[in-house]
Amino acid sequence: MNRPSLRAATLLSCAALALPLLAADGLAAKTGLWETTTVVNTGAISMPADALAKVPPEQRAQMEQMFKQMGARGPTSTKTKSCVTEKDLKEGAFRQQAEQGSSCKYTVVTNTPKRQELTFQCSGSGAATGKMQIDAPDSAHVRGTVDVKTPQATVNVKFDSVWLGASCAGADKK
């Protein structure tokens, strides 16, 4: 299995967990402590048939069993608390972190105080395509989706963030 591609999808999904607002160049949202509920759905995991055909039969059987065990997973939900600063809002920290050391190209489709939409395409060993949409219906609520597709898997992340207060006390991490 091409682990870097699956790893790219996993990293993008994990990055979304830290997304209460961090994709937010100009998004109209408050700074301070945010609580984010994230739901991740992973589609069936597979390996391209031509690559699988090159694997010895015994190893192929093991890999197919592993894929079956990893298979499409129902939604997993997490809840985190994080601190969002003015710097995070101005710099679009999520995109900057995702772009460091990656071969991904990000295209801004929409960037307003109430909505941000991005598409991305990653090449090389971390091949993936996807889109991200973030909505801020008001300054104390942010929600969004991230859809990632790799040759091995599809991942859908939905998040809903609620502002808890101006103080970052109680954040899981900065």
Side-chain angles (χ1 to χ4, degrees):
M1 179 167 104
N2 183 344
R3 291 199 186 276
S5 293
L6 184 55
R7 193 173 341 184
T10 302
L11 288 173
L12 287 168
S13 298
C14 290
L17 295 175
L19 249 184
L21 306 172
L22 300 181
D25 286 337
L27 200 60
K30 295 180 179 185
T31 58
L33 186 62
W34 285 79
E35 182 174 74
T36 300
T37 302
T38 306
V39 179
V40 179
N41 277 298
T42 304
I45 299 172
S46 64
M47 184 173 177
D50 59 335
L52 196 57
K54 297 175 185 175
V55 176
E58 185 177 298
Q59 188 178 4
R60 182 171 50 238
Q62 290 174 341
M63 291 175 72
E64 287 172 343
Q65 179 62 30
M66 180 184 69
F67 292 147
K68 190 175 187 178
Q69 289 173 349
M70 292 171 66
R73 297 183 185 169
T76 57
S77 180
T78 59
K79 195 173 274 200
T80 58
K81 291 182 182 176
S82 58
C83 181
V84 175
T85 67
E86 193 66 39
K87 181 179 176 185
D88 294 330
L89 293 174
K90 287 180 182 175
E91 294 181 359
F94 172 75
R95 270 203 322 262
Q96 291 174 359
Q97 291 172 1
E99 290 173 352
Q100 290 175 359
S102 76
S103 57
C104 298
K105 178 184 176 201
Y106 295 83
T107 303
V108 175
V109 177
T110 303
N111 187 17
T112 72
K114 297 269 185 197
R115 171 173 266 194
Q116 187 172 59
E117 295 177 66
L118 303 163
T119 60
F120 56 89
Q121 185 165 10
C122 306
S123 59
S125 63
T129 59
K131 62 182 178 177
M132 178 186 342
Q133 179 178 316
I134 301 169
D135 291 303
D138 60 62
S139 63
H141 297 89
V142 175
R143 62 179 164 255
T145 60
V146 181
D147 293 304
V148 181
K149 183 175 181 180
T150 74
Q152 291 76 31
T154 59
V155 178
N156 171 266
V157 179
K158 293 183 180 187
F159 67 92
D160 190 8
S161 299
V162 178
W163 183 74
L164 299 177
S167 168
C168 284
D172 295 333
K173 356 177 175 174
K174 184 306 192 180

